[in-house]
Amino acid sequence: MSTNSIDPNTWIDKYSDYLFNYTIVRVDDKEIAQDLVQETFFAGLKSMKNFKGEASERTWLISILKRKIIDHYRKINSNKGKAEVRMSYTGDSNTEGDWLEERVADPFDSNAESEIENTELGLAIHNCLGKLPQKQATIFKLKTMQGFDTEAICNDFDITASNLWVIIHRARTAMAECLQKNWF
C-alpha cells in the first residue's frame, strides 16, 4: 500500500468541481452535493492508507463518492434502513475507498472538449430531471442512475414491480424528449 501516488493537499483544486458536477446530477440539491463531496474528501483522508495505486486518484475518490451518494439515498428513501443496495463493499470505514478501486477503470481520462461536453450534458440531464414529477424523478434516479434493487424501491415507495417499470418507462420517454429538445 502506497500513499505516495496521492496528494490530499491538491484534491480541492484538482477534483472539487468535477466531483460536485458528478454529484449534483445525482442528488439535485446544491447543499447536499457540496456536503457529499466534503464527506468524500474526509473519507479519502481517513482511508489514504488503503489507496493501492491500481486506479487513478480521481477514480478512487469517485468510488468513495458513489458510496456516499448511495448512502444518502438509502438514508432518505428507505424504511429505517431496511432497503438493501446490492453492492459488494464492506461496512468497515477503515477500508472505505478500497472497495471498488480494482474494479473501476477511469473512463474520465479525456481531453478538455469531452469534459466540457460531459458537463453540458450533465446539466441538460439535471434540468430534464427537474421537469419530471418528483416521485418519478426520484424513482428514475434510484433505479437507473444509482442501481438500486427493484424490490427495495418497491418496498420504499409501496408500489408493485409493474408500477415501477411503468414509472421508469415514462421517465425515460420524458427524459429522451427533453434531451432531444435541449441537448441534441
Side-chain angles (χ1 to χ4, degrees):
M1 291 189 214
S2 168
T3 56
N4 294 339
S5 57
I6 61 173
D7 183 4
N9 295 320
T10 64
W11 287 353
I12 292 173
D13 291 335
K14 281 179 155 178
Y15 306 119
S16 61
D17 288 343
Y18 178 81
L19 295 176
F20 176 79
N21 288 334
Y22 181 91
T23 307
I24 193 69
V25 171
R26 289 156 177 81
V27 298
D28 196 27
D29 183 295
K30 182 180 178 183
E31 289 181 20
I32 292 171
Q34 289 171 334
D35 289 346
L36 290 171
V37 171
Q38 185 176 25
E39 288 175 26
T40 298
F41 287 145
F42 182 68
L45 282 171
K46 284 175 47 178
S47 62
M48 278 176 43
K49 64 185 177 298
N50 298 323
F51 181 75
K52 297 175 183 158
E54 295 171 4
S56 74
E57 188 176 51
R58 180 167 62 176
T59 299
W60 180 69
L61 289 169
I62 282 287
S63 70
I64 295 171
L65 178 59
K66 285 178 181 178
R67 181 172 172 191
K68 296 293 179 191
I69 293 169
I70 289 168
D71 288 346
H72 164 74
Y73 276 109
R74 288 179 72 190
K75 182 179 175 185
I76 65 170
N77 290 303
S78 70
N79 295 328
K80 297 181 182 177
K82 291 181 185 174
E84 274 187 39
V85 179
R86 298 179 194 260
M87 302 254 341
S88 156
Y89 65 84
T90 66
D92 180 3
S93 64
N94 290 330
T95 60
E96 189 167 27
D98 194 29
W99 63 284
L100 269 183
E101 181 186 349
E102 63 279 353
R103 296 187 193 167
V104 182
D106 190 356
F108 306 107
D109 286 338
S110 61
N111 61 34
E113 185 177 313
S114 294
E115 289 199 24
I116 291 169
E117 189 173 289
N118 286 341
T119 300
E120 289 173 356
L121 177 59
L123 291 172
I125 290 169
H126 176 72
N127 289 335
C128 290
L129 278 170
K131 294 177 183 178
L132 295 177
Q134 183 63 41
K135 182 178 179 181
Q136 191 180 65
T138 301
I139 289 172
F140 178 79
K141 284 187 233 177
L142 289 173
K143 185 65 184 164
T144 62
M145 298 172 112
Q146 303 301 322
F148 272 62
D149 181 59
T150 299
E151 184 179 345
I153 296 171
C154 290
N155 289 339
D156 288 348
F157 287 91
D158 196 27
I159 58 174
T160 65
S162 297
N163 192 335
L164 176 119
W165 291 111
V166 168
I167 291 168
I168 296 295
H169 173 73
R170 289 179 181 162
R172 283 182 179 150
T173 302
M175 289 291 292
E177 289 173 9
C178 179
L179 287 171
Q180 186 69 36
K181 290 177 188 171
N182 299 306
W183 173 247
F184 302 110

